[in-house]
């Protein structure tokens, strides 16, 4: 079916890309790439915060409570920046891709509507949780954080449903270029939904876990080895270490699903020029002029991985009609991004195993400085892997916006001035990004000056307002 | 079915205009509060009032965008291909505003607070202005059904500029009333007087602009004028009555009543616009039923709307109640 529409749409193509395509794609890539870094902090960091919170209340652990409270402040700042940068994406969907929205909004929009619902709940309960520390009772306050975590999960699943639909569109009938019938459940639970959603959700938990652990590992490397830092490392790293093997498992399923249902993307991922069997797995290398230059070749590797047999046939780039074949440059990007993601994932699995082993043997963090160094770097690596994975999904779909139905060059706006708009966005986002980092460092310095014990704003501390209710379960 | 979806969409627009509008208006007063020392207390009150609620209020905008592009995709494409300049500027304003506000809460040095605060406050005025011009462009029928209308005159025209100025004025007025009430709850007599004065001034100015607007609409947007003076007239009158009543009662009435009146004044204007435009979605260009998505999509949106009614409304009420009772500590 997709093959048929590939040919029919391909035949009526205008070959040249419109001038707006490049700035529009760059702008979308940049703003999405910026926003996606903030996503794990709204979705998964809040979960780490709740673990610390629950531990703090249950074990009467002041350090854990302090961590939870400080994390909630960081989460509040990042949530605000994420909320507004996410809003820009909603505008951009219309401003940059009006043909996508105008024609396919009726189907594509449904998961977004559900996401809106979760975003509402998230914004409401984030506020209650973040501002509720002083004047709410401990357990009720803790429970106001639970909807934040749940709506974060729900929101992620909904947004990814929309993205997955662009990769494997379904659930609608078109007549004369217009959607005339929609089957909402098929739209939401499209072919790519399951693995993409779970993969992204686990990625969010990995990024939040490794980044937060990395921050405390960096502090420990500088000699701050108090309980505060050890706990600040242990909670997120435990979550990340539990999630990582799951992620590798899900990633493996995802790759095979892509092999089965998105052959063009799979050909780009593995950089397969011609259809055939005994296709080698090439690690790294640069794809140009129809072959991979450099890289390490594992004979029949790709065939083995996708079909458990060297005679598994893999569709190459040559099977895609020339008009809709991705240029070599994009194939190279997708292939390298995929290798980056898998490579980092494997390294993070190693780190998780190291941590698990030390914990299993001694019930303690590994003592080596190399472990702390590796953990510090793991945060950055996890973010890189997240970006790389997103490049695989988005660039791997090109030149299609809605695979088999709408080419990116046809989805783009015809309005001009896009470079100007992009330049303004770039300048603004750089300023916002830099200020975000500055503000987080400011918080860190302030907390460090206060020290662990001298904190004046201990959570669930003495109520300060005359109207406040006395907090129960006081230490 | 399409009318129901349009009503849901318009409830979102009204909620954003009133709740988001009050937040924008607070930014207006933040901008005009004077120097760092003189404006310190009013800014503090604005900060405390806004901090827990602005993000939830902001989500109404996302809700409207999503409802529009899912329920009425062709109208959404027509709007974005025509009014891309004010929409783009509003989007950038939203980023500056939200991040500026979040950052100001964290930084402590006066010069840094001034910079982040200025970013927040300036964009709080610019953003509703541009959104107001978008509303004016749509209402006056300057967005063609097929999109790609004139990128400049679609929003630089009498009705759009009226929309922009009116949006800023209404936001300022609603915010001033809310902040007067907030100051009273906190028994801060000085700030109460400060904001009450501003509530009165903004009510007078906004009322005058609205009166002048009658002439502008008559000359520039005939069909909208007819709608507002015809089917929409009761709502316009209610709005005027609410505005006048809140002005008269500013000294005496209970804060709750004043807030209700201000919300009534602002909300009925927006609803009046919707009623005046019915059955058109884009001014005189595109009818609601023509723009609507297939029934199954509209049905899905109705399910989402019902879920919002069951989940979001109580949650939001909880947030507002906790905030009002001082259970949320924003210092």
């Amino acid at each position: 079916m997709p093959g048929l529409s590939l040919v029919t749409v391909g035949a009526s193509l205008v070959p040249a890309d419109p001038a707006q395509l490049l700035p529009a794609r760059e702008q979308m890539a940049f703003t999405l790439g910026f926003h996606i870094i903030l996503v794990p902090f709204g979705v998964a960091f809040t979960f780490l915060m709740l673990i610390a919170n629950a531990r703090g209340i249950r074990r009467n652990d002041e350090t854990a409570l302090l961590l939870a409270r400080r994390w909630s402040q960081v989460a509040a700042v990042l949530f605000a920046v994420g909320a507004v940068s996410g809003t820009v994406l909603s505008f951009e969907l219309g401003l940059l891709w009006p043909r996508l929205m105008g024609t396919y909004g009726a189907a594509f929009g449904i998961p977004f509507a559900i996401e809106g619902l979760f975003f509402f709940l998230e914004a409401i309960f984030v506020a209650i949780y973040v501002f509720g520390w002083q004047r709410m009772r401990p357990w009720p306050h803790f429970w106001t954080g639970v909807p934040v975590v749940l709506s974060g999960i729900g929101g992620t699943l909904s947004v990814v449903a929309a993205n997955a639909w662009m990769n494997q569109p379904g659930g609608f009938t078109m007549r004369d270029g217009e959607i005339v019938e929609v089957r909402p459940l098929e739209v939401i639970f499209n072919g790519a939904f399951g693995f993409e959603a779970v993969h992204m959700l686990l990625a969010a938990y990995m990024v939040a876990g490794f980044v937060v652990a990395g921050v405390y590992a960096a502090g420990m490397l500088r000699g701050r080895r108090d309980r505060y830092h050890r706990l600040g490392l242990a909670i997120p790293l435990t979550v990340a270490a539990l999630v990582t093997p799951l992620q590798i498992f899900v990633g493996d399923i995802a790759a095979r699903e892509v092999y089965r249902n998105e052959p063009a993307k799979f050909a780009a991922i593995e950089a397969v020029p011609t259809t055939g069997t005994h296709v080698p797995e090439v690690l790294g290398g640069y794809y140009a002029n129809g072959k991979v230059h450099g890289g390490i070749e594992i004979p029949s590797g790709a065939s083995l991985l996708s079909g458990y047999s060297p005679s598994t046939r893999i569709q190459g780039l040559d099977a895609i009609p020339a008009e809709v074949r991705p240029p070599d440059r994009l194939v190279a990007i997708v292939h390298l991004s995929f290798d980056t993601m898998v490579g980092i994932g494997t390294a993070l699995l190693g780190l998780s195993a190291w941590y698990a082993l030390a914990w299993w043997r001694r019930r303690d963090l590994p003592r080596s400085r190399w472990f702390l160094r590796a953990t510090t770097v793991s945060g950055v690596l996890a973010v890189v892997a997240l970006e790389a994975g997103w490049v695989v999904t988005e660039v791997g779909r090109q030149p299609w916006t809605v695979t088999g139905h709408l080419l990116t060059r046809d989805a783009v706006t015809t309005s001009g001035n896009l470079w100007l708009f992009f330049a303004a966005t770039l300048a603004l986002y750089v300023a916002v990004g830099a200020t975000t980092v500055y503000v987080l460092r400011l918080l860190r310095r302030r907390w460090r000056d206060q020290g662990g014990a001298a904190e004046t704003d201990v959570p669930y501390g003495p109520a300060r307002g005359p109207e406040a209710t006395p907090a129960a379960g006081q230490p | 079915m399409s009318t129901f979806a349009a009503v849901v969409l318009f409830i979102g627009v009204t909620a954003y205009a009133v709740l988001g509008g009050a937040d924008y208006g607070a930014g207006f007063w933040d901008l005009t509060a004077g120097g760092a020392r003189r404006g310190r207390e009013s800014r503090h009150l604005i900060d405390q009032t806004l901090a827990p609620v602005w993000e939830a209020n902001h989500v109404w905008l996302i809700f409207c965008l999503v409802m529009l592009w899912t329920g009425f995709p062709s109208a959404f494409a027509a709007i974005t291909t025509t009014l891309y300049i004010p929409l783009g500027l509003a989007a950038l304003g939203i980023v500056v505003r939200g991040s500026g506000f979040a950052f100001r809460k964290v930084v402590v040095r006066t010069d840094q607070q001034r910079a982040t605060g200025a970013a927040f406050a300036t964009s709080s005025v610019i953003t509703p202005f541009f959104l107001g011009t978008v509303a004016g462009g749509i209402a006056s029928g300057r967005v063609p059904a097929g999109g790609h209308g004139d990128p400049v005159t679609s929003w630089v025209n009498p009705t759009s500029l009226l929309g922009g100025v009116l949006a800023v004025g209404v936001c300022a007025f609603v915010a001033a009333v809310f902040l007067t009430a907030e100051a009273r709850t906190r028994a801060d007599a000085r700030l109460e007087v400060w904001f009450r004065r501003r509530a009165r001034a903004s009510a007078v100015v906004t009322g005058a602009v609205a009166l002048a607007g009658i002439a502008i609409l008559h000359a520039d947007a005939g069909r909208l004028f007819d709608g507002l003076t015809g089917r929409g007239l009761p709502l316009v009158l209610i709005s005027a009555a609410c505005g006048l009543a809140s002005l008269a009662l500013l000294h005496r009435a209970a804060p709750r009543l004043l807030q209700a009146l201000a919300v009534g004044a602002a909300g009925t204007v927006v609803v009046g616009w919707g009623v005046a435009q019915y059955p058109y979605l884009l001014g005189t260009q595109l009818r609601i039923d023509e723009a609507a998505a297939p029934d199954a999509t509209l049905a899905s949106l109705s399910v989402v709307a019902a879920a919002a009614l069951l989940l979001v409304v109580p949650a939001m009420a909880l947030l507002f109640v906790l905030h009002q009772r001082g259970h949320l500590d924003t210092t």
Side-chain angles (χ1 to χ4, degrees):
Chain A
M1 228 302 252
L4 180 72
S5 40
L6 274 174
V7 177
T8 48
V9 177
S12 63
L13 272 184
V14 191
D17 284 344
Q20 310 81 261
L21 186 62
L22 185 62
R25 285 196 64 194
E26 298 288 315
Q27 164 133 1
M28 197 71 197
F30 172 70
T31 46
L32 204 51
F34 182 96
H35 179 72
I36 207 170
I37 299 177
L38 297 160
V39 168
F41 294 91
V43 172
F45 184 36
T46 45
F47 176 66
L48 305 178
M49 175 183 91
L50 283 193
I51 294 178
N53 190 348
R55 186 190 164 102
I57 304 175
R58 187 169 295 153
R59 304 196 189 172
N60 215 344
D61 183 342
E62 282 289 345
T63 311
L65 281 180
L66 192 62
L67 276 171
R69 169 156 169 128
R70 287 176 174 178
W71 288 352
S72 77
Q73 277 177 271
V74 172
V77 171
L78 294 176
F79 185 71
V81 179
V84 292
S85 61
T87 308
V88 170
L89 293 174
S90 315
F91 276 86
E92 282 176 348
L93 280 176
L95 293 174
L96 302 175
W97 317 104
R99 286 277 306 278
L100 167 66
M101 305 315 290
T103 311
Y104 296 92
F108 182 51
I110 293 170
F112 279 116
I114 300 168
E115 197 268 345
L117 200 66
F118 286 117
F119 185 30
F120 251 130
L121 294 173
E122 196 173 0
I124 292 167
F125 284 101
V126 159
I128 297 179
Y129 184 83
V130 168
F131 296 111
W133 276 107
Q134 295 284 353
R135 299 190 183 169
M136 288 174 76
R137 289 157 186 272
W139 280 113
H141 173 254
F142 168 85
W143 285 108
T144 64
V146 174
V148 177
V149 171
L150 296 180
S151 45
I153 294 171
T156 307
L157 298 183
S158 330
V159 169
V160 177
N163 182 276
W165 180 87
M166 293 163 79
N167 287 304
Q168 293 189 30
F172 63 95
T173 311
M174 291 199 87
R175 199 177 303 141
D176 305 326
E178 217 179 310
I179 290 189
V180 289
E181 196 202 317
V182 173
R183 296 174 292 281
L185 290 179
E186 278 181 54
V187 169
I188 298 167
F189 300 102
N190 58 75
F193 169 71
F195 67 86
E196 263 199 43
V198 178
H199 200 50
M200 177 63 210
L201 198 59
L202 295 178
Y205 276 78
M206 277 176 76
V207 169
F210 284 117
V211 168
V212 177
V215 169
Y216 291 91
M220 286 173 73
L221 272 177
R222 290 181 194 153
R224 286 181 281 273
R225 300 203 176 216
D226 47 11
R227 182 153 180 282
Y228 175 79
H229 277 80
R230 296 170 64 79
L231 196 61
L233 186 145
I235 293 173
L237 193 59
T238 306
V239 171
L242 289 172
V243 168
T244 303
L246 264 179
Q247 177 71 313
I248 305 249
F249 177 68
V250 171
D252 184 57
I253 294 175
R256 244 186 303 282
E257 285 291 318
V258 170
Y259 160 72
R260 262 195 290 277
N261 299 316
E262 300 172 46
K265 183 183 280 179
F266 193 76
I269 285 174
E270 299 288 0
V272 184
T274 42
T275 307
T277 57
H278 301 270
V279 177
E281 174 80 40
V282 186
L283 303 178
Y286 190 82
Y287 185 85
N289 304 321
K291 63 180 210 152
V292 185
H293 302 269
I296 305 161
E297 196 177 305
I298 303 167
S300 301
S303 287
L304 268 171
L305 282 173
S306 33
Y308 306 113
S309 145
S311 57
T312 305
R313 187 180 169 83
I314 296 180
Q315 185 185 309
L317 291 158
D318 62 341
I320 307 168
E323 316 86 72
V324 290
R325 194 180 298 155
D328 286 3
R329 175 175 50 86
L330 294 191
V331 174
I333 291 175
V334 173
H335 174 67
L336 276 178
S337 300
F338 184 79
D339 284 0
T340 305
M341 173 181 77
V342 174
I344 291 176
T346 312
L348 293 177
L349 184 67
L351 178 66
S352 306
W354 189 352
Y355 177 59
L357 201 67
W359 200 263
W360 177 59
R361 284 164 66 180
R362 293 186 285 112
R363 302 271 143 210
D364 198 6
L365 300 173
R367 295 207 182 114
S368 136
R369 283 182 74 78
W370 279 107
F371 172 77
L372 293 178
R373 287 191 189 112
T375 307
T376 306
V377 180
S378 72
V380 182
L381 287 179
V383 173
V384 173
L386 176 78
E387 296 278 3
W390 164 71
V391 167
V392 171
T393 312
E394 303 290 296
V395 181
R397 191 184 59 229
Q398 300 303 327
W400 298 101
T401 292
V402 181
T403 304
H405 291 273
L406 178 67
L407 286 162
T408 309
R409 70 166 76 108
D410 294 332
V412 76
T413 182
T414 51
S415 316
N417 298 324
L418 285 192
W419 283 113
L420 198 70
F421 186 37
F422 181 33
T425 311
L426 199 64
L428 178 62
Y429 272 53
V430 167
V432 169
T435 318
T436 308
V437 173
Y438 172 79
V439 158
L440 294 181
R441 291 173 67 97
L442 195 76
L443 280 174
R444 187 187 62 176
R445 189 155 25 135
R446 194 179 302 160
W447 291 334
R448 191 179 299 158
D449 293 346
Q450 284 169 346
E455 170 82 3
T456 44
D457 271 346
V458 174
Y460 311 127
R464 285 176 301 180
E467 70 277 53
T469 45
Q474 275 295 349
Chain B
M1 196 73 153
S2 58
T3 307
F4 178 73
V7 168
V8 171
L9 168 64
F10 224 76
I11 290 173
V13 172
T14 313
Y16 183 61
V18 173
L19 297 170
D23 294 350
Y24 283 121
F28 179 88
W29 299 120
D30 195 285
L31 185 68
T32 51
R37 191 178 305 167
R38 206 155 54 87
R40 193 186 157 81
E41 277 159 33
S42 24
R43 287 207 177 91
H44 186 63
L45 183 71
I46 289 167
D47 227 43
Q48 288 200 312
T49 315
L50 237 56
V53 294
W54 74 270
E55 281 182 47
N57 290 340
H58 168 80
V59 182
W60 284 109
L61 174 63
I62 312 270
F63 177 84
C64 297
L65 288 171
V66 170
M67 280 286 161
L68 187 59
W69 83 46
T70 312
F72 307 95
S74 57
F76 180 69
I79 292 168
T80 52
T81 50
T82 302
L83 294 159
Y84 58 89
I85 297 173
L87 283 172
L89 293 171
L92 298 183
I94 284 165
V95 175
V96 176
R97 187 182 119 83
S99 42
F101 186 76
F103 295 154
R104 183 170 73 172
K105 278 206 75 60
V106 178
V107 297
V108 280
R109 265 171 39 201
T110 307
D111 58 332
Q112 291 173 342
Q113 283 188 331
R114 199 176 277 152
T116 49
F120 154 67
T122 314
S123 48
S124 291
V125 179
I126 292 171
T127 309
F129 174 80
F130 286 126
L131 292 175
T133 63
V134 168
I138 296 170
S140 58
R142 285 182 165 93
V143 178
H148 305 281
D150 191 293
V152 178
T153 57
S154 59
W155 67 284
V156 186
N157 63 70
T159 306
S160 282
L161 296 180
L162 173 72
V165 173
L166 213 52
V168 174
V170 169
C171 291
F173 166 64
V174 175
V177 170
F178 272 65
L179 289 163
T180 309
E182 193 70 29
R184 191 185 301 198
T185 323
R186 286 161 200 251
D188 188 330
R190 212 185 61 79
L191 274 184
E192 191 189 331
V193 173
W194 199 89
F195 278 113
R196 190 191 293 138
R197 229 178 257 151
R198 275 148 187 82
R200 193 181 298 134
S202 52
V204 170
V205 171
T206 311
V209 171
L211 277 177
I214 296 175
I216 294 176
L217 290 185
H218 184 63
D220 187 60
R223 199 186 172 279
L224 182 65
F225 178 83
D226 291 346
L228 281 172
T229 50
R231 201 172 336 119
L233 191 63
L235 289 161
V236 174
L237 292 178
I238 292 174
S239 170
C242 285
L244 287 172
S246 59
L247 203 57
L249 297 173
L250 209 45
H251 258 289
R252 290 177 299 276
R256 288 278 155 74
L257 177 63
L258 272 178
Q259 283 171 317
L261 287 172
V263 167
T268 44
V269 171
V270 182
V271 177
W273 162 35
V275 169
Q277 215 174 276
Y278 185 84
Y280 286 94
L281 194 64
L282 300 178
T284 54
Q285 310 282 348
L286 185 65
R287 283 212 319 274
I288 290 171
D289 52 349
E290 291 168 341
D295 278 350
T297 302
L298 298 178
S300 316
L301 291 183
S302 310
V303 172
V304 171
L309 201 68
L310 287 174
L311 292 171
V312 175
V313 172
M316 205 163 265
L318 176 70
L319 173 66
F320 288 151
V321 167
L322 287 174
H323 187 30
Q324 291 249 307
R325 296 199 180 153
H327 289 306
L328 303 180
D329 183 84
T330 60
T331 42

